[in-house]
């Protein structure tokens, strides 16, 4: 299974690439949780043998204030943006972990070590209230669990950002909106595993 997955990943033509180029991905600015959902959804249909080695990763903290560098939305040369949360896709092969982030200035995909160094830096250089935490959710669970009606992007019936062109995601039929459970870094609530930067890097290096 891992061998077949690796073959799929490294063939460089449109029919067998694991994930298309950014230009060919579904994307809506400021809806990173949905962008990643759509990437995993595409993967589940076209390369289901690789889904077991794929994770959605929410990056946030208790104050919902996390600095990330090398972001396209950054106004300065270093690409610094302080997000309330961000979501990326990880895919692990036999030899490496790759990061798929449609909002980064780095390559797509980026090597895990390069992404971490360029995007997170060191916690020693920033105040504790800005330390990043990571909720790591297996791809299959993410597809069957995320539901969002995009209420977090509306204020007084107006959109804060233009919504995606696709319908609202309803992975969990019993809930219309459970995004906060994924953003929360309470280890006893929500799906997946919550890690700090050190343990996150150790797990996927």
């Amino acid at each position: 299974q891992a061998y077949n997955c690796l073959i799929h990943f490294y063939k460089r033509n449109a029919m067998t690439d694991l994930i298309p180029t950014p230009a060919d991905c579904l994307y809506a600015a400021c809806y990173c949780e949905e962008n990643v959902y759509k990437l995993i959804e595409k993967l589940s249909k076209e390369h289901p043998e690789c889904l077991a080695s794929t994770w959605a990763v929410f990056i946030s903290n208790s104050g919902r204030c996390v600095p990330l560098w090398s972001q396209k939305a950054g106004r300065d040369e270093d690409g610094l943006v302080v997000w309330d949360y961000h979501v990326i896709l990880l895919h692990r092969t036999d030899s490496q972990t790759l990061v798929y982030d449609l909002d980064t200035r780095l390559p797509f995909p980026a090597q895990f070590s390069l992404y971490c160094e360029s995007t997170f830096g060191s916690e020693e250089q920033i105040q504790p209230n800005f330390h990043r935490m990571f909720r790591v959710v297996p791809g299959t669970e993410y597809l069957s669990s995320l539901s969002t009606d995009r209420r977090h992007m509306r204020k007084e019936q107006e959109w804060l950002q233009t919504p995606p062109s696709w319908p609202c995601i309803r992975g969990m039929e019993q809930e219309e909106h459970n995004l906060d459970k994924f953003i929360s870094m309470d280890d006893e609530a929500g799906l997946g595993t919550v890690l700090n930067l050190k343990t996150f890097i150790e797990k996927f290096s």
Side-chain angles (χ1 to χ4, degrees):
Q1 177 175 321
Y3 178 74
N4 290 335
C5 184
L6 202 59
I7 290 176
H8 278 302
F9 184 78
Y10 282 107
K11 287 185 178 179
R12 306 309 301 169
N13 62 72
M15 295 301 294
T16 54
D17 278 350
L18 184 65
I19 289 177
T21 63
D24 295 323
C25 292
L26 290 174
Y27 178 78
C30 299
Y31 292 85
C32 52
E33 69 281 352
E34 297 199 39
N35 296 333
V36 168
Y37 189 97
K38 288 298 180 181
L39 283 176
I40 298 177
E41 185 177 61
K42 181 177 180 66
L43 184 63
S44 71
K45 295 176 181 178
E46 298 182 1
H47 302 281
E49 72 281 359
C50 297
L51 196 57
S53 54
T54 301
W55 296 265
V57 180
F58 279 73
I59 308 163
S60 191
N61 58 27
S62 59
R64 296 197 180 186
C65 195
V66 288
L68 304 182
W69 282 264
S70 301
Q71 297 287 289
K72 292 177 182 177
R75 297 181 180 179
D76 296 327
E77 185 176 346
D78 61 6
L80 174 63
V81 175
V82 179
W83 296 114
D84 51 349
Y85 70 96
H86 189 50
V87 189
I88 59 176
L89 169 64
L90 294 188
H91 175 68
R92 174 183 275 171
T93 70
D94 288 341
S95 61
Q96 63 183 335
T97 299
L98 297 169
V99 181
Y100 293 83
D101 180 359
L102 287 163
D103 295 297
T104 186
R105 297 178 181 179
L106 299 172
F108 183 90
Q111 294 281 346
F112 181 73
S113 57
L114 170 65
Y115 186 89
C116 289
E117 181 179 351
S118 301
T119 306
F120 307 128
S122 171
E123 300 285 46
E124 296 177 0
Q125 301 173 357
I126 60 177
Q127 298 177 3
N129 57 304
F130 291 114
H131 285 187
R132 284 66 51 97
M133 299 292 290
F134 303 82
R135 181 177 292 278
V136 180
V137 183
T140 51
E141 290 187 38
Y142 192 56
L143 288 182
S144 63
S145 301
L146 177 70
S147 290
T148 172
D149 59 11
R150 302 169 182 160
R151 67 182 66 176
H152 63 299
M153 297 302 291
R154 294 180 70 91
K155 184 176 182 180
E156 297 178 356
Q157 304 305 312
E158 293 187 3
W159 290 108
L160 300 176
Q161 292 287 341
T162 303
S165 58
W166 54 84
C168 290
I169 291 169
R170 193 74 176 270
M172 177 72 73
E173 285 296 331
Q174 298 87 348
E175 297 182 282
E176 291 185 4
H177 188 84
N178 59 14
L179 179 61
D180 287 339
K181 293 181 180 179
F182 291 88
I183 300 173
S184 169
M185 292 298 144
D186 180 357
D187 197 18
E188 297 183 358
L191 297 174
T193 304
V194 176
L195 306 170
N196 60 30
L197 179 59
K198 181 176 183 293
T199 54
F200 175 67
I201 291 175
E202 289 174 349
K203 180 176 177 65
F204 290 102
S205 292

